[in-house]
Amino acid sequence: MDISITTLTENTATIGFIGEWGLSILIEADNKRILLDTGPGFSAIYNAQIAGIDFRTINTIVLSHGHFDHTGGLREILARRTDKMDIIAHPSIWEAKYSIRENDKRYIGIPFARELLEGLGGRFNLSRQPTWLTGNIVTSGEVPLITGYEEIDQALYVKEKDAFRLDTLYDDLSLAIKTDMGLAIFLGCAHRGMINIIRHFQKITGDERVYSIVGGTHLFSASPERLDSTIAELKKIGIRKLGVSHCTGFEASARLAAEFKDIFFLNSAGSRHQLL
Ligand SMILES: [Fe+2]
Ligand SMILES: [Fe+2]
């Protein structure tokens, strides 16, 4: 199966494109054009225009979770279509999500009312379970925490009535494509941990082999021990391509580049890759 990707939003950008904190990746595989996330604002629209991508040709949007940097481009993308658009996500995307770091408390959830997006043709298909888009493409649904060393960021909260509770990020969805070479896995922010996500996809698909991992890994705040364990695990699994983005952070990206050498790439806005 051919898989090609075009990254429309990422913190950094290749020449001619614009960078914006967030993520949006167009994935073309199995006769589908799937948009994983939408970035926070206008970069996906601008970069799609530069890359010659027409949003009317996209079949489905998958939202990796409810944070603004993955969902804030929705309004503009939906506004550029005339027909309905299926949006696959977890019901918890609509929780009131906050980040609280050193006296900086800010709302970081979806910046639009659901009614507004539905009025623009968004058709939300919300599920806690894996959703198969084709016989080969599946979302993770809720990811169990099994590794022990992958913790959810303790600065992320949900506001319920007037109280804040830690966000469990059950809405953290990823996407996997079954190929002859193993699984091609796409991450939004990997809030529930990259290795937990891999383990979960191995179980869902019955395939132990992982061909590639592309997207946000949320390793920017990982302890050195967690980074070591993650790298050791990826090597044991034997991945063949690793394209990191967004919340991987500079230090973890540099370490992964040094560890994985030729199979590593920095997946910036404007990057186009024929993965398979
Ligand atoms: Fe996030
Ligand atoms: Fe993010």
Side-chain angles (χ1 to χ4, degrees), residues 11 21-23 37 64-65 67-70 188-191 216 218 220 246-247:
N11 309 18
W21 174 270
L23 194 66
D37 291 337
S64 69
H65 60 304
H67 286 158
F68 75 100
D69 49 335
H70 299 253
C189 252
H191 280 294
H218 215 79
F220 79 93
H246 183 44
C247 48

Side-chain angles (χ1 to χ4, degrees), residues 61-112:
I61 293 177
V62 175
L63 296 178
S64 69
H65 60 304
H67 286 158
F68 75 100
D69 49 335
H70 299 253
T71 58
L74 266 176
R75 183 181 62 191
E76 296 303 317
I77 291 171
L78 293 176
R80 278 162 176 76
R81 293 174 58 94
T82 46
D83 53 348
K84 302 272 184 204
M85 169 71 99
D86 286 320
I87 302 170
I88 295 174
H90 184 283
S92 299
I93 59 167
W94 293 109
E95 288 174 341
K97 292 175 178 291
Y98 279 76
S99 94
I100 306 177
R101 293 180 205 267
E102 292 159 14
N103 295 328
D104 176 28
K105 184 195 289 177
R106 63 177 72 189
Y107 176 75
I108 57 166
I110 300 179
F112 313 112

Side-chain angles (χ1 to χ4, degrees), residues 221-245:
S221 56
S223 65
E225 295 75 25
R226 174 175 170 182
L227 194 53
D228 287 346
S229 303
T230 301
I231 289 167
E233 205 55 47
L234 291 176
K235 287 187 172 174
K236 208 158 88 188
I237 292 165
I239 57 162
R240 310 272 292 274
K241 283 191 179 170
L242 176 63
V244 303
S245 301

Side-chain angles (χ1 to χ4, degrees), residues 38-242:
T38 67
F42 289 90
S43 57
I45 293 291
Y46 178 86
N47 290 335
Q49 219 166 0
I50 302 292
I53 289 162
D54 182 348
F55 282 107
R56 287 171 298 187
T57 64
I58 290 169
N59 311 106
T60 308
I61 293 177
V62 175
L63 296 178
S64 69
H65 60 304
H67 286 158
F68 75 100
D69 49 335
H70 299 253
T71 58
L74 266 176
R75 183 181 62 191
E76 296 303 317
I77 291 171
L78 293 176
R80 278 162 176 76
R81 293 174 58 94
T82 46
D83 53 348
K84 302 272 184 204
M85 169 71 99
D86 286 320
I87 302 170
I88 295 174
H90 184 283
S92 299
I93 59 167
W94 293 109
E95 288 174 341
K97 292 175 178 291
Y98 279 76
S99 94
I100 306 177
R101 293 180 205 267
E102 292 159 14
N103 295 328
D104 176 28
K105 184 195 289 177
R106 63 177 72 189
Y107 176 75
I108 57 166
I110 300 179
F112 313 112
R114 180 169 177 170
E115 286 79 0
L116 183 145
L117 298 173
E118 287 175 338
L120 291 169
R123 210 160 38 192
F124 286 92
N125 173 356
L126 304 177
S127 174
R128 298 173 190 279
Q129 307 299 327
T131 301
W132 288 89
L133 279 72
T134 71
N136 296 305
I137 306 179
V138 66
T139 67
S140 59
E142 289 180 6
V143 174
L145 304 180
I146 57 169
T147 58
Y149 56 84
E150 293 179 309
E151 290 168 355
I152 293 170
D153 194 326
Q154 299 288 297
L156 301 175
Y157 288 81
V158 167
K159 191 176 179 190
E160 279 176 348
K161 299 196 177 99
D162 281 331
F164 288 91
R165 62 157 172 86
L166 278 170
D167 193 348
T168 54
L169 266 306
Y170 274 120
D171 49 326
D172 182 66
L173 292 191
S174 302
L175 196 71
I177 304 178
K178 287 176 80 168
T179 81
D180 294 343
M181 311 281 281
L183 300 174
I185 295 178
F186 297 90
L187 310 170
C189 252
H191 280 294
R192 303 220 10 123
M194 177 171 26
I195 305 300
N196 285 322
I197 292 165
I198 292 173
R199 294 285 173 246
H200 189 54
F201 274 129
Q202 287 170 325
K203 213 168 139 192
I204 294 170
T205 62
D207 194 345
E208 293 283 308
R209 301 163 308 151
V210 179
Y211 172 70
S212 62
I213 295 170
V214 171
T217 66
H218 215 79
L219 289 171
F220 79 93
S221 56
S223 65
E225 295 75 25
R226 174 175 170 182
L227 194 53
D228 287 346
S229 303
T230 301
I231 289 167
E233 205 55 47
L234 291 176
K235 287 187 172 174
K236 208 158 88 188
I237 292 165
I239 57 162
R240 310 272 292 274
K241 283 191 179 170
L242 176 63

